Amino acid sequence: YQSDLKEGSDIFFLGLEGSGMFAVIETLVPYEKMYFLHKGEVKDGVKQAETYGEDAIERYDLVEKDGKVSLSMTMNSPEEYIPYFADTFPKALEIVKKIAES
């Protein structure tokens, strides 16, 4: 990602070739929550038109209870990206879990 990680700022999720997606950081409360509103694509390092609408969200919440922390994630994306996220996000969240438990 590329961002200053401040509420209201853009955040870019890019591959090595400089293409990917961009979003706005809607909410950022350290150690509690981070919410993104995805806006559109980046191609060859150039931000494209905002095409995703208000429903393309990605949200992470951390909740502590009885000395344990749980991470919950909510995502809504354009239909064409569902297969990608269904494949990659479980793998990514498993890596997060391993890091958190070590």
Side-chain angles (χ1 to χ4, degrees), residues 41-71:
E41 296 183 22
V42 176
K43 294 190 181 194
D44 298 320
V46 179
K47 194 160 103 170
Q48 305 297 300
E50 295 183 7
T51 57
Y52 292 164
E54 297 298 312
D55 293 329
I57 62 167
E58 183 176 351
R59 295 180 175 163
Y60 298 90
D61 290 283
L62 293 171
V63 176
E64 183 179 355
K65 183 176 180 182
D66 299 326
K68 294 184 180 183
V69 177
S70 296
L71 168 66

Side-chain angles (χ1 to χ4, degrees), residues 84-98:
Y84 170 79
F85 289 124
D87 179 55
T88 59
F89 267 69
K91 294 173 188 173
L93 291 172
E94 188 60 35
I95 293 169
V96 170
K97 181 180 180 198
K98 286 180 184 177

Side-chain angles (χ1 to χ4, degrees), residues 2-64:
Q2 295 175 354
S3 178
D4 63 7
L5 296 179
K6 295 181 180 176
E7 283 187 6
S9 293
D10 284 343
I11 185 165
F12 298 87
F13 301 97
L14 305 173
L16 296 176
E17 73 288 345
S19 295
M21 305 169 89
F22 70 96
V24 171
I25 301 171
E26 288 189 312
T27 303
L28 176 58
V29 180
Y31 308 107
E32 288 183 27
K33 61 182 81 177
M34 190 167 198
Y35 297 172
F36 306 110
L37 175 61
H38 289 278
K39 295 293 197 170
E41 296 183 22
V42 176
K43 294 190 181 194
D44 298 320
V46 179
K47 194 160 103 170
Q48 305 297 300
E50 295 183 7
T51 57
Y52 292 164
E54 297 298 312
D55 293 329
I57 62 167
E58 183 176 351
R59 295 180 175 163
Y60 298 90
D61 290 283
L62 293 171
V63 176
E64 183 179 355

